[in-house]
Amino acid sequence: MTSSLTLSRRIEGRRISNMECVNEILDRQQRLAAMASDTDSMYSIVDLQMLVEHCRDSAKTKILAYYAETYLVVAPAPEELVLHGAAELKLSPSNTAQLVQDYSHLIRHKNYGMLPLHVVVAATGADHVGRVNAFLIAFPEAAKVLDAQGLLPVQIALLHGAEWEVVKLLIDVFPSALQYPFLPCAPVPGQLRMLIGLRPFHMACSLKYGLSFLFQLLAESQDSIAAAPSHLIHNRAHFL
């Protein structure tokens, strides 16, 4: 019988393998696109553009296949989920930005109530700041959108141990997020019940973030009070 730890390692192994493959394809796409834009290139512009399109299609196919395998949906997953899959794969920031540019019409697409930003803020790890920034630049208003569980992107980021720079990106776009309490939709997992009603600063305290992180978040929280909607300020005492 396969243990949950073994299964988790297999899933992570598939993610890394797919990430490396898709990164390689998209790196090639960007090199070919640069060559196609070079007027002094010795290669046919038409041929280079065809190769760029081939790389784009290959990357999309790989991303959607990974998504279908991970979430056990009928393969291939619909094209509308290419940015959700890319967000979870933890691709390089430049390749993430390339996909956001290629599929900009999908940046507002929700899958089970989740925007691509909701997915990428949870995908902590290498280059997290650059990956989150790629989605935020394309659709800053996403920082204000609740997911299907009633959570803001900054709250999701905190739950997944995001670094300060990621949280700072999110609150720079939507400072009032620091005045919103953690009020997820029921049922709430047992380990998260202690966070109900807490604002981001107190969430971070409960989640045992480091002192440097907490001091920076506290300063931002104090600065955001003046910018918070009046009904949130009025109800502030209920959640402190």
Side-chain angles (χ1 to χ4, degrees):
M1 184 174 180
T2 303
S3 70
S4 58
L5 179 59
T6 300
L7 182 60
S8 176
R9 286 174 175 169
R10 287 180 181 175
I11 292 173
E12 180 63 8
R14 286 199 300 268
R15 185 194 65 76
I16 292 173
S17 176
N18 279 277
M19 175 191 69
E20 292 172 345
C21 181
V22 174
N23 268 330
E24 182 179 337
I25 293 170
L26 291 172
D27 286 343
R28 190 181 308 129
Q29 175 185 328
Q30 293 195 63
R31 289 196 299 270
L32 289 166
M35 292 170 64
S37 64
D38 182 1
T39 55
D40 295 327
S41 175
M42 60 182 290
Y43 300 100
S44 163
I45 302 300
V46 173
D47 289 345
L48 288 171
Q49 289 174 340
M50 289 177 61
L51 290 172
V52 167
E53 286 300 319
H54 175 73
C55 288
R56 183 178 293 120
D57 289 342
S58 295
K60 179 182 70 174
T61 298
K62 289 282 187 183
I63 292 169
L64 295 178
Y66 163 78
Y67 192 94
E69 181 181 13
T70 302
Y71 291 99
L72 303 179
V73 299
V74 177
E79 180 179 317
E80 289 78 8
L81 299 181
V82 66
L83 292 184
H84 290 77
E88 190 166 305
L89 264 178
K90 305 182 183 182
L91 302 171
S92 71
S94 64
N95 287 333
T96 299
Q98 182 64 57
L99 285 166
V100 169
Q101 177 182 321
D102 289 345
Y103 300 97
S104 58
H105 60 292
L106 298 176
I107 196 70
R108 292 170 171 78
H109 180 74
K110 287 187 176 182
N111 181 45
Y112 293 104
M114 296 184 69
L115 291 166
L117 182 67
H118 293 129
V119 178
V120 76
V121 295
T124 53
D127 301 317
H128 196 203
V129 178
R131 290 183 281 115
V132 171
N133 195 44
F135 286 95
L136 268 181
I137 288 174
F139 185 26
E141 291 296 304
K144 304 177 181 180
V145 179
L146 300 175
D147 72 356
Q149 297 302 311
L151 302 182
L152 288 169
V154 70
Q155 295 170 326
I156 299 171
L158 288 171
L159 289 176
H160 287 83
E163 58 190 315
W164 168 247
E165 288 75 14
V166 171
V167 173
K168 183 71 164 65
L169 278 178
L170 295 166
I171 59 180
D172 280 348
V173 174
F174 185 38
S176 294
L178 291 171
Q179 301 306 319
Y180 277 75
F182 181 77
L183 296 172
C185 301
V188 181
Q191 68 272 24
L192 299 183
R193 289 175 188 167
M194 66 176 184
L195 302 176
I196 293 175
L198 299 184
R199 298 175 187 278
F201 172 71
H202 296 93
M203 283 181 64
C205 291
S206 297
L207 293 168
K208 303 187 185 308
Y209 274 83
L211 284 176
S212 176
F213 185 104
L214 294 175
F215 277 123
Q216 293 179 91
L217 185 56
L218 177 61
E220 294 287 343
S221 298
Q222 295 300 318
D223 291 342
S224 73
I225 291 175
S230 59
H231 70 281
L232 290 177
I233 296 174
H234 179 72
N235 292 326
R236 185 169 182 259
H238 293 289
F239 301 102
L240 288 178

